[in-house]
Amino acid sequence: MAPLLNGYTNGTSRHLPEDPSVVESRFSDVPSQIDIPVSGLDAEEAVEVNLEELLDDPTELCTLLEQEGVGKHYWMVIALAYAKQSKVDHAIEILSKGMGTLNRGNPKEKLGPLSLTCWLYLWKSREAPRVVPDGQPAGETRLKDFYLQAATGSLNEASRINPAFPPLFLARGVLYLLRASLQPPSKAAAPSAPELSDRVDTLRQSIKCFEDALRVSSGRNMMAILGRARAYFSLGKYAEALDGYQEVLNKMPHLQDPDPRIGVGCCLWQLGHKDEAREAWERALELNPDSKIANILLGLFYIHNSSHYATTDPAFGPIYKKAMTVYTQKAFKLDKELPLTCATFGSYFMMRKSWATVDNLARKAIELTDVNAVASDGWYLLARKEHYQDRPDLPKASDYYQKADLARGGGDKGYLPARFGLVQIQILQRDFDGAKFRLEKIIQQSKSIEAMMILGALYAEDVFRSQANGVKEDKSADVKKATTLLEAVRLAWKDPQKNLTPDSSVLVYLARLYETEQPDKALQCLHQVEQMSINDMPEKEPPDGIEADEAWMAKLREQLSPQLLNNIGCFQHYAERHEQAREFFQTALSACVKAGEKDEGIDTDALVTTISYNLARTYEAAGLLDEAKQVYEGLLARHDDYTDARTRLAYIELRQNPQEAGPKAMTALYEADSSNLEVRSLFGWFLSKSKRRAANIAEDQEQRHYKHTLQHHDKHDRYSLTGMGNLYLTTAREMRRDTDQDKDKRRKTYEKAVEFYDKALQLDPRNAYAAQGIAIALVEDKKDLTAAVQLFSKVRDTVKDPSVYINLGHVFAELKQYSRSIESYEAALTYNRTSDPQILACLGRVWLLKGKLDKSPAAMKTSLSYSQRALAIAPSQIHFQFNIAFVQIQLAQLLYTLPEAQRTLEDVIKASSGLEEAINSFCEIAQSKNPPYPRHDIEQRANMGRNTMRRQLERAIQSQREYEEKNAAKLQEARELREAEIRRREEEKRRAEEQKEEEKRKIREERDKMAQLSRELAEKRMEEERRREEAEYTTDTDGERVKRSKRKKQAAKRKKRAEENSGSETEVGDGEDGNAVAAAKKSRRKKKARSTEPDSAVDSSDAEGGAPKSKKKRKRLARRGGKEGNFKSEELVVDSDSEGAPRTVTQTNGGGGGPEDDDGDTRMREAEDEDEDMAVSKQHSRKRNARRIEDEADEDKDEEEEEEEEEAEEQPEEQESGKKTTAERDAEEDEESGGGIAGGASFADNPHGDPVDESVGAAGDAGGAEDPLLQI
């Protein structure tokens, strides 16, 4: 007899009650009492044992059973009774003593107790701790592995007795399943690589055991199917596991312990169908409201849903509250030892910083679970607890993070949050290289946004650290990596499917990375941070009746971070948007006040000082010097040692009073703080502007100042190095070049200047002023114009200073690229230098050269205009007067040489007047104290103009007057023709524009018409579909909408015809011939779908003497072209009753026809109306029933006619659909149609050539040397 377990034989199926509300619990079949027969008494007497009130010590009961020698059934029932009361150790003890008494009998009697003992050991393994509890000795605690070993021993002993004992297969499968839960997953080489480990082998063995259990039970063992599904789930084969759970659910729909719906939901979750998983768990909870597994799984579902929202989102709170209070809390009340519930509740108490509760719950999750993932969650909770405490234990946290990662496989398959925790620990331990290596591995495997964010921040911090320490190492690769990673994070925010919350720190990092190379992008990032901060404000929308104007935005900005507003203002200042910069600085000052009110720990004085200084710099840039002075004086009143403010005050004083008060202020500043490098730089610039040039550079006051700075203060001062290079460059430019010795000395002086520039560039590779100095040396010493253009172009992209454009203009003029030279000079004028006489003089020079090259009087007149503007600005500069006289001489000479047709009398007369002015100017210049050229040369130019050129212009005036008088009529006619041609062209242009506008208007009107037509067709289509649906559907007796049955009568008639056909076939086919005919007809029915020859039906009907019924084929009216009325003919193909080809009735568009045409028209109208088509269908059906069908071909023909009638019913819909499609296509087609030159250098006869601009500013000086950087 097979042993009993819960009243049923092991391995057999249960028959659950029909009522799902009636649920059988475990051990429900254990009787409440048992009678133990007593030997020596009457056969009917026995000892009654109450199995509901068992003794705490089963020794007496075991003694009674041993003395009476009862069978194994009594031992097993009593053991199950103890197990029912969770006294599993007593149950195992009873079974052990019972098997001792059974040793004297048949060994097979021990199979049942051994199998039950194995199951009890497996039960104990489920409840035993996974690891030794904290604080308990290792030898006193029995772990899961101990009980699994004991279960293995029982199972092996039973297998030695009978290895084919059916209950052993199921027990062995569960044993392997529990053993696999203690084995860690393998570390696969890649996420997609197959897992190869002892755990996988153990799970495969469990699957084999479950399949053996199914085999011996003929597929009726539902527990074996559930076990196999659980093994598949552990292997990651979720589809196979889902099939197993669904199979059990189909065969035993009322099974609740264990509930296959739980497994179904878990498989659906892993397959990505999370809503369907929720439905399965809700169904399980509906059947068993006290299901702790269903409750905690539903809680996890809603926790997962809440993770899609930010914690500040209003939708987050209700979802998270429902997860914790409705489901998780109930599951915890049902079973406080459930590992999954402990791990989930541990995360909740982690947020509340209840460290003791977190530690208790996490250790329960680790010790009691059979699932590696839950154990991983427990280790992760312990790691976070150690990590987030006020005094974190980093080594212990790192160890817990590693255990959490290994519990899920480690390596490429580990736990991503735990690996993030390890990265954070490494960052706290200053192991940045290890953190970056681990993050790069994470990004390669998962493309995690968080990993990209942290890795980009680490690379950015490396760059900022190098900049702060002055490290010369090239960090461009790190800048690129950081920018790429952070931009990828920024791009991911725009993906609505990811539902990510932007992080302002990413934008701040990007702004700092873009600050130097791409300030516009940096400003864009800061503006985005500003908008995010405004969006997070509770009062971001204006009150009712108030518009969201600039005043409202300024009010909102006052609640932002003052540092953010200050940085935005600095970038606006660099972009020369001074008005916007001033507004941001003023708002930042207001924000400082409010920030101080909110947090008294903020150093508002430092913020106000820095922002006020930047505001004053903005006033300076805008030309509001008085306002700037007021701000600087206010700063000095609060901080009298603020050197930067004192420096700017001295510079403003110098600009306003360059003769007296300015120099005194500079001297006083230098004497007050001569050790400050910024003060020494500004004083060096002042010396370069106000000193008298010495013949010997060693005696130069500026040179001694820079030398003293380099020797006694800072030998790496970049401003002093650049200033020394400027001095040597200027000296070399003015040196004599008469002899080879002079040229060699000049070349060495240039090399000395280049040495200083090169040293400055080594200290600061971005020193554009030093690079510009090297370019000037190349031009003046080596005459390497091409290389100089490249250098100046790079400097222009870096430095926003007019000197760069001036030097570019010089080089382009030397290359005879006068147009580009003019563009460069004019660009220099835009830098608030419109009144700079040197740039105006350079423009006059280039226009003169361009006029001489092109022989253009207009260009020379432009040159004269620029020269006159330069003289008007600096009337004391005699060389500007010389330039004007020189241009007037050149213009007179050019007009004299031009033919009469290319000049006018007015131009020649003006040139003569200009010549007289030039002669007078030359005479005055020659008599001046310091003429720009030798007096003799100037006097010779005046004499040449007075004698030769005066006579030449007199002759030119005479000849030009005669020419114009002689050709006055022709000139007037040509002038009129030219004016008429101009008017004609303007009129044609106006007409073309009007015509173009008219065409656009027509196109718009046509598009509007087509759009209106499309809408009308769509509405008509929808109305017809609604009517058709009303015709096709009706209301049944239950009040529900159902589709009409149209073919019931026709089906009945076809059935009647089939009966008549069978009768006729009986009459015609007798004996073997009849059987042959029947077989042939059956064969033809099978091939009917492939038959396409209508003639066969006609011939067959004729052979039988019957009159075949005509069959009509219809063709739709199709439009071929875009013109009105251009249609194909509509054809009605009618099969003739007589032999021959079918006749075709053609109906042209809009034409009438004869009787046949009328019949075709009627057919087409019937096809467009459903009700009329039904009438026609019934009429044809009655005609067919009146005939006797004698041949199978006639039957096939009737069926074809019925199919044609069905097509006729569908034809109106197809025609209407075709119309709509054509209109839409037409509408779419319509829519588709739808330092400069040396001050006194002249423009010609300059023996020393044209030197390059000497005004090369120093490094860090945005406006010459007077413009230190803003403070951020």
Side-chain angles (χ1 to χ4, degrees):
M1 175 181 176
L4 297 177
L5 181 62
N6 292 358
Y8 289 95
T9 304
N10 280 314
T12 61
S13 299
R14 287 183 176 185
H15 299 283
L16 295 181
E18 295 297 332
D19 186 4
S21 61
V22 179
V23 180
E24 288 189 354
S25 60
R26 298 188 182 186
F27 302 103
S28 60
D29 300 322
V30 176
S32 59
Q33 62 184 16
I34 188 171
D35 295 333
I36 300 175
V38 180
S39 59
L41 301 176
D42 294 339
E44 296 180 356
E45 293 187 6
V47 176
E48 181 180 310
V49 178
N50 189 349
L51 297 181
E52 294 180 352
E53 298 178 358
L54 295 170
L55 299 175
D56 294 335
D57 186 1
T59 304
E60 296 181 4
L61 187 57
C62 291
T63 303
L64 174 63
L65 295 175
E66 290 175 354
Q67 291 176 354
E68 300 303 328
V70 298
K72 64 178 180 179
H73 168 67
Y74 296 95
W75 293 95
M76 293 179 66
V77 170
I78 294 173
L80 286 172
Y82 273 97
K84 181 178 181 181
Q85 298 181 9
S86 299
K87 300 177 181 179
V88 183
D89 292 330
H90 292 334
I92 294 174
E93 180 183 355
I94 292 171
L95 290 173
S96 178
K97 291 181 179 180
M99 285 186 289
T101 62
L102 295 175
N103 285 334
R104 297 184 294 271
N106 187 0
K108 291 186 177 181
E109 293 293 322
K110 296 173 59 178
L111 286 175
L114 284 172
S115 176
L116 180 55
T117 303
C118 176
W119 283 106
L120 293 175
Y121 277 130
L122 294 177
W123 186 358
K124 289 288 291 183
S125 173
R126 294 293 304 274
E127 296 179 348
R130 185 187 186 97
V131 295
V132 178
D134 191 30
Q136 295 186 13
E140 297 180 2
T141 304
R142 292 182 175 180
L143 306 180
K144 291 181 181 293
D145 188 64
F146 171 82
Y147 291 107
L148 290 180
Q149 294 294 338
T152 304
S154 300
L155 198 59
N156 290 338
E157 184 178 354
S159 298
R160 284 191 292 269
I161 297 174
N162 183 7
F165 186 53
L168 298 183
F169 295 120
L170 184 63
R172 189 178 292 112
V174 175
L175 175 64
Y176 281 129
L177 201 59
L178 292 176
R179 186 178 294 169
S181 67
L182 300 180
Q183 297 171 339
S186 67
K187 296 182 180 180
S192 59
E195 184 181 353
L196 300 174
S197 64
D198 295 338
R199 176 176 175 272
V200 174
D201 294 338
T202 304
L203 290 172
R204 289 173 179 170
Q205 290 176 355
S206 70
I207 293 174
K208 183 177 182 301
C209 294
F210 290 132
E211 290 176 347
D212 290 339
L214 280 173
R215 175 177 50 79
V216 298
S217 65
S218 301
R220 296 191 303 273
N221 194 330
M222 296 297 103
M223 297 300 109
I225 300 176
L226 288 174
R228 183 179 63 182
R230 179 67 181 84
Y232 278 132
F233 187 90
S234 299
L235 286 172
K237 299 180 179 180
Y238 305 115
E240 292 86 343
L242 179 61
D243 293 339
Y245 288 122
Q246 289 177 337
E247 181 182 355
V248 174
L249 192 59
N250 291 331
K251 293 181 178 179
M252 301 181 69
H254 303 317
L255 180 63
Q256 297 181 25
D257 187 17
D259 195 340
R261 298 166 190 81
I262 301 296
V264 169
C266 292
C267 294
L268 290 172
W269 180 278
Q270 294 293 342
L271 292 172
H273 308 292
K274 293 182 170 53
D275 291 331
E276 290 78 0
R278 173 184 57 80
E279 293 174 0
W281 295 330
E282 287 177 346
R283 176 57 179 164
L285 195 62
E286 180 183 348
L287 295 176
N288 182 12
D290 293 333
S291 173
K292 54 188 178 182
I293 298 297
N295 273 288
I296 187 58
L297 289 176
L298 283 171
L300 290 174
F301 170 83
Y302 286 106
I303 290 176
H304 173 77
N305 271 9
S306 68
S307 66
H308 296 159
Y309 303 94
T311 54
T312 57
D313 195 312
F316 173 81
I319 299 176
Y320 187 76
K321 182 178 180 181
K322 182 177 182 179
M324 300 307 298
T325 60
V326 177
Y327 296 108
T328 307
Q329 189 175 13
K330 183 177 180 180
F332 188 73
K333 290 179 179 179
L334 291 171
D335 186 358
K336 296 183 179 180
E337 306 296 325
L338 185 64
L340 184 57
T341 307
C342 293
T344 306
F345 247 139
S347 300
Y348 170 75
F349 287 106
M350 175 70 67
M351 294 188 296
R352 304 186 64 177
K353 296 184 179 181
S354 301
W355 307 123
T357 307
V358 171
D359 186 86
N360 183 31
L361 293 174
R363 294 193 180 279
K364 282 185 178 181
I366 296 169
E367 295 165 3
L368 302 178
T369 185
D370 293 325
V371 182
N372 288 321
V374 178
S376 175
D377 290 339
W379 290 117
Y380 182 67
L381 284 174
L382 290 177
R384 290 178 65 195
K385 186 204 73 168
E386 298 295 339
H387 187 181
Y388 295 145
Q389 289 182 357
D390 295 335
R391 294 183 179 180
D393 189 345
L394 298 183
K396 187 178 291 187
S398 178
D399 180 57
Y400 289 153
Y401 278 132
Q402 289 178 353
K403 288 182 178 179
D405 186 41
L406 292 174
R408 277 185 163 91
D412 296 338
K413 298 177 60 178
Y415 190 35
L416 189 60
R419 296 162 74 182
F420 268 119
L422 282 172
V423 169
Q424 293 173 336
I425 297 297
Q426 288 177 315
I427 293 173
L428 292 175
Q429 294 175 342
R430 314 293 293 177
D431 183 12
F432 299 119
D433 293 335
K436 287 190 285 188
F437 176 78
R438 193 179 295 273
L439 286 170
E440 287 174 350
K441 295 288 290 182
I442 292 174
I443 293 173
Q444 290 176 1
Q445 298 155 14
S446 63
K447 301 297 182 183
S448 170
I449 299 300
E450 291 79 5
M452 296 168 70
M453 188 186 307
I454 298 176
L455 184 58
L458 288 176
Y459 279 120
E461 289 292 343
D462 283 348
V463 174
F464 303 150
R465 197 178 302 111
S466 299
Q467 293 174 352
N469 297 332
V471 179
K472 297 180 181 179
E473 183 182 358
D474 184 16
K475 287 291 183 178
S476 58
D478 289 347
V479 172
K480 184 177 180 180
K481 287 181 181 179
T483 305
T484 303
L485 289 167
L486 296 177
E487 282 291 357
V489 174
R490 188 182 179 188
L491 182 63
W493 296 342
K494 301 178 182 178
D495 189 352
Q497 296 181 352
K498 295 181 179 179
N499 195 20
L500 298 175
T501 303
D503 191 342
S504 60
S505 63
V506 174
L507 298 170
V508 174
Y509 274 120
L510 282 172
R512 294 186 65 185
L513 292 169
Y514 286 137
E515 178 181 358
T516 305
E517 297 289 342
Q518 304 178 62
D520 293 339
K521 287 188 175 182
L523 181 60
Q524 181 185 2
C525 293
L526 293 180
H527 277 308
Q528 190 172 351
V529 174
E530 175 195 12
Q531 189 60 46
M532 288 168 53
S533 302
I534 291 176
N535 292 338
D536 293 338
M537 293 180 183
E539 298 180 358
K540 61 184 177 181
E541 298 295 336
D544 295 338
I546 299 178
E547 297 182 358
D549 54 4
E550 290 297 328
W552 176 255
M553 289 300 298
K555 184 178 180 180
L556 291 178
R557 289 194 182 104
E558 292 178 358
Q559 304 178 33
L560 300 179
S561 167
Q563 295 90 336
L564 172 63
L565 298 172
N566 177 64
N567 289 334
I568 294 176
C570 290
F571 281 109
Q572 296 283 11
H573 177 84
Y574 290 145
E576 298 183 356
R577 293 187 285 268
H578 304 302
E579 184 68 25
Q580 293 91 325
R582 185 165 66 249
E583 292 176 0
F584 274 100
F585 288 138
Q586 291 171 345
T587 307
L589 290 174
S590 302
C592 287
V593 177
K594 294 191 176 182
E597 295 174 355
K598 295 179 181 178
D599 187 0
E600 296 180 356
I602 297 177
D603 188 1
T604 56
D605 181 69
L607 287 173
V608 170
T609 301
T610 301
I611 298 170
S612 299
Y613 178 84
N614 291 337
L615 177 62
R617 291 302 311 273
T618 306
Y619 282 137
E620 279 191 72
L624 305 174
L625 300 183
D626 294 335
E627 288 81 350
K629 285 180 64 177
Q630 184 178 358
V631 176
Y632 289 136
E633 290 171 354
L635 289 173
L636 289 173
R638 292 190 292 114
H639 302 282
D640 57 355
D641 58 344
Y642 196 4
T643 305
D644 290 336
R646 196 179 301 277
T647 301
R648 300 312 302 176
L649 275 176
Y651 173 71
I652 292 174
E653 190 66 30
L654 181 64
R655 287 185 61 182
Q656 291 180 335
N657 301 288
Q659 301 300 329
E660 298 180 0
K664 291 180 181 179
M666 281 290 180
T667 304
L669 174 66
Y670 181 69
E671 292 174 354
D673 194 1
S674 60
S675 62
N676 188 292
L677 290 179
E678 291 295 330
V679 174
R680 296 188 68 86
S681 299
L682 181 60
F683 193 72
W685 170 84
F686 168 69
L687 291 176
S688 68
K689 298 298 181 181
S690 59
K691 70 177 182 178
R692 291 185 179 181
R693 294 185 180 181
N696 187 1
I697 191 173
E699 300 176 357
D700 190 274
Q701 187 179 3
E702 183 185 3
Q703 189 267 352
R704 289 200 299 267
H705 175 77
Y706 290 144
K707 186 176 181 180
H708 187 271
T709 302
L710 294 172
Q711 289 178 347
H712 300 286
H713 294 279
D714 186 4
K715 65 179 180 179
H716 297 307
D717 182 43
R718 293 169 292 176
Y719 190 94
S720 298
L721 290 170
T722 307
M724 290 289 285
N726 292 342
L727 282 172
Y728 278 97
L729 185 67
T730 304
T731 303
R733 180 185 300 156
E734 297 176 354
M735 293 179 67
R736 299 175 62 87
R737 289 168 284 182
D738 297 337
T739 64
D740 292 340
Q741 185 178 0
D742 294 338
K743 293 179 181 179
D744 185 63
K745 186 177 180 180
R746 182 173 181 268
R747 178 181 56 79
K748 291 181 179 179
T749 307
Y750 274 119
E751 291 177 353
K752 188 72 172 177
V754 171
E755 289 178 4
F756 281 108
Y757 290 137
D758 185 63
K759 180 65 175 178
L761 284 172
Q762 290 178 10
L763 295 171
D764 181 13
R766 302 182 61 81
N767 190 336
Y769 298 98
Q772 185 174 207
I774 292 177
I776 294 173
L778 286 175
V779 174
E780 296 182 354
D781 184 31
K782 305 294 184 180
K783 301 298 180 183
D784 191 352
L785 301 176
T786 304
V789 168
Q790 295 177 357
L791 282 174
F792 283 132
S793 299
K794 292 181 179 179
V795 172
R796 178 189 58 191
D797 298 336
T798 305
V799 177
K800 295 181 178 181
D801 190 81
S803 63
V804 183
Y805 292 96
I806 293 172
N807 290 328
L808 273 172
H810 295 340
V811 178
F812 285 133
E814 291 293 329
L815 292 171
K816 296 184 179 181
Q817 299 179 15
Y818 300 124
S819 298
R820 300 183 68 181
S821 177
I822 292 169
E823 291 176 1
S824 300
Y825 287 136
E826 290 178 346
L829 284 177
T830 59
Y831 284 85
N832 295 326
R833 302 288 290 272
T834 55
S835 59
D836 191 331
Q838 298 294 341
I839 302 177
L840 295 172
C842 292
L843 279 168
R845 174 177 176 268
V846 176
W847 276 107
L848 176 64
L849 295 174
K850 181 176 176 60
K852 291 176 66 176
L853 179 65
D854 300 339
K855 294 183 179 182
S856 170
M860 288 195 174
K861 291 178 182 178
T862 305
S863 173
L864 181 61
S865 174
Y866 277 116
S867 300
Q868 290 171 345
R869 287 173 58 187
L871 181 62
I873 295 171
S876 61
Q877 301 294 328
I878 196 170
H879 54 275
F880 292 152
Q881 187 179 358
F882 176 86
N883 291 342
I884 293 174
F886 184 80
V887 173
Q888 289 171 334
I889 290 286
Q890 295 295 321
L891 179 59
Q893 187 175 358
L894 176 63
L895 286 174
Y896 170 74
T897 58
L898 289 176
E900 290 84 353
Q902 297 181 11
R903 65 189 183 188
T904 63
L905 180 61
E906 183 181 0
D907 292 338
V908 179
I909 293 173
K910 287 183 179 180
S912 178
S913 300
L915 177 62
E916 296 299 330
E917 293 176 1
I919 293 171
N920 296 331
S921 297
F922 281 141
C923 292
E924 293 178 5
I925 294 170
Q927 300 300 323
S928 63
K929 185 177 180 180
N930 295 311
Y933 285 93
R935 288 187 177 86
H936 178 69
D937 294 343
I938 297 174
E939 290 174 354
Q940 282 187 349
R941 284 186 177 275
N943 291 331
M944 182 183 67
R946 187 181 296 111
N947 298 323
T948 306
M949 295 188 65
R950 182 181 290 173
R951 290 193 296 269
Q952 289 176 348
L953 283 180
E954 290 175 355
R955 290 194 296 270
I957 291 172
Q958 183 64 29
S959 62
Q960 188 68 25
R961 181 177 289 112
E962 293 175 357
Y963 173 79
E964 292 185 1
E965 290 176 355
K966 180 180 179 180
N967 299 282
K970 295 182 179 179
L971 292 174
Q972 182 64 24
E973 183 180 357
R975 189 179 299 110
E976 293 176 356
L977 289 175
R978 184 170 62 252
E979 293 176 356
E981 179 66 19
I982 292 173
R983 289 194 298 271
R984 186 185 63 81
R985 291 179 180 178
E986 291 178 353
E987 182 66 20
E988 288 180 355
K989 183 178 180 181
R990 184 184 61 79
R991 290 177 181 175
E993 291 178 353
E994 291 178 355
Q995 184 178 1
K996 189 174 182 181
E997 289 296 328
E998 181 65 18
E999 291 177 355
K1000 289 182 179 179
R1001 186 187 61 78
K1002 291 181 179 179
I1003 291 173
R1004 285 196 299 269
E1005 291 179 355
E1006 291 178 358
R1007 288 179 177 175
D1008 294 340
K1009 291 179 181 179
M1010 295 304 299
Q1012 180 64 24
L1013 178 60
S1014 299
R1015 288 192 294 269
E1016 292 176 357
L1017 290 175
E1019 293 174 357
K1020 183 178 179 182
R1021 170 70 174 174
M1022 293 174 62
E1023 180 65 20
E1024 291 180 354
E1025 288 180 354
R1026 187 185 62 78
R1027 293 178 179 176
R1028 186 177 295 107
E1029 184 178 355
E1030 291 178 355
E1032 290 178 356
Y1033 284 83
T1034 185
T1035 304
D1036 60 5
T1037 57
D1038 297 333
E1040 296 181 356
R1041 297 279 292 175
V1042 297
K1043 195 170 184 179
R1044 294 181 185 272
S1045 179
K1046 299 180 181 180
R1047 299 298 181 185
K1048 290 183 178 180
K1049 293 182 178 181
Q1050 294 180 4
K1053 294 176 181 178
R1054 284 198 298 270
K1055 184 176 181 181
K1056 183 177 181 181
R1057 287 199 306 270
E1059 294 175 355
E1060 294 175 355
N1061 292 342
S1062 62
S1064 62
E1065 288 169 2
T1066 304
E1067 294 176 0
V1068 175
D1070 294 325
E1072 295 179 357
D1073 294 339
N1075 294 336
V1077 171
K1081 289 182 178 180
K1082 183 177 182 180
S1083 176
R1084 285 198 301 273
R1085 291 193 192 99
K1086 292 181 179 180
K1087 297 179 181 179
K1088 182 174 69 66
R1090 298 191 298 269
S1091 178
T1092 57
E1093 299 179 3
D1095 292 342
S1096 60
V1098 174
D1099 296 339
S1100 177
S1101 299
D1102 294 340
E1104 295 295 333
K1109 189 172 183 178
S1110 63
K1111 179 173 62 177
K1112 295 181 175 60
K1113 298 182 180 179
R1114 301 180 179 88
K1115 293 187 178 180
R1116 283 181 51 205
L1117 187 64
R1119 183 171 180 175
R1120 296 180 58 87
K1123 298 181 180 180
E1124 293 291 336
N1126 189 11
F1127 292 95
K1128 287 184 179 180
S1129 63
E1130 184 184 75
E1131 296 180 350
L1132 296 179
V1133 182
V1134 183
D1135 290 347
S1136 175
D1137 294 341
S1138 60
E1139 295 182 357
R1143 54 193 177 89
T1144 302
V1145 180
T1146 303
Q1147 219 175 357
T1148 59
N1149 186 31
E1156 295 177 350
D1157 295 337
D1158 296 339
D1159 182 72
D1161 291 341
T1162 303
R1163 294 291 184 178
M1164 289 299 292
R1165 286 193 298 272
E1166 289 173 350
E1168 294 177 357
D1169 188 274
E1170 183 175 356
D1171 297 333
E1172 293 179 8
D1173 187 81
M1174 290 289 294
V1176 173
S1177 175
K1178 293 179 181 180
Q1179 181 179 1
H1180 282 287
S1181 178
R1182 287 195 297 269
K1183 291 181 179 180
R1184 285 194 300 272
N1185 291 335
R1187 298 177 53 200
R1188 179 176 181 82
I1189 302 174
E1190 298 178 353
D1191 194 284
E1192 182 64 22
D1194 292 340
E1195 180 184 2
D1196 296 343
K1197 185 174 180 181
D1198 290 340
E1199 294 176 355
E1200 290 176 0
E1201 289 176 354
E1202 293 172 1
E1203 292 174 359
E1204 289 175 1
E1205 291 170 357
E1206 294 175 0
E1207 292 175 358
E1209 292 176 357
E1210 298 173 356
Q1211 188 170 0
E1213 179 179 353
E1214 295 175 355
Q1215 290 178 349
E1216 189 62 32
S1217 175
K1219 291 179 182 179
K1220 182 177 184 297
T1221 304
T1222 304
E1224 290 178 345
R1225 183 169 61 251
D1226 294 341
E1228 292 173 356
E1229 292 174 357
D1230 291 337
E1231 289 179 359
E1232 290 178 356
S1233 60
I1237 299 176
S1242 66
F1243 292 156
D1245 300 334
N1246 186 352
H1248 302 296
D1250 295 309
V1252 185
D1253 186 13
E1254 62 183 354
S1255 58
V1256 181
D1261 185 2
E1266 71 275 14
D1267 199 6
L1269 292 177
L1270 292 179
Q1271 297 181 359
I1272 302 179

